[in-house]
Amino acid sequence: MKKTYSIEVDCANCANLMEEAAQKTAGIAAAAVNFMTQKLTVEFADGADEKTVMKAVVKACKRIEPDCEIEV
């Protein structure tokens, strides 16, 4: 399943780091951050629980930029 979330991130470098962190999160098959549109698109792995996976993604992204926002 593929889903898009609105995000708030301040710089393109942080957006790239957040994309890498999301891609490394268990339960994510693919992830892409578009800094210009402030969107995070994720494709969940088969059988992954969306809420649990997104909590882990938010936690990983907050380590990179503590004030980032992801509308889950």
Side-chain angles (χ1 to χ4, degrees):
M1 170 176 55
K2 196 179 244 188
K3 210 158 182 195
T4 302
Y5 299 92
S6 293
I7 63 170
E8 186 179 314
V9 61
D10 296 331
C11 71
N13 185 50
C14 292
N16 285 336
L17 293 172
M18 288 172 61
E19 180 177 297
E20 289 175 13
Q23 290 172 346
K24 293 176 183 175
T25 303
I28 297 288
V33 172
N34 186 319
F35 176 69
M36 296 302 289
T37 61
Q38 297 282 296
K39 301 283 184 194
L40 165 66
T41 304
V42 296
E43 184 175 340
F44 295 96
D46 290 336
D49 177 54
E50 177 186 341
K51 287 184 180 187
T52 304
V53 172
M54 285 310 296
K55 278 185 182 181
V57 169
V58 169
K59 185 176 180 181
C61 289
K62 291 263 186 197
R63 275 185 256 151
I64 293 161
E65 186 172 321
D67 64 341
C68 77
E69 296 293 328
I70 300 175
E71 293 180 26
V72 179

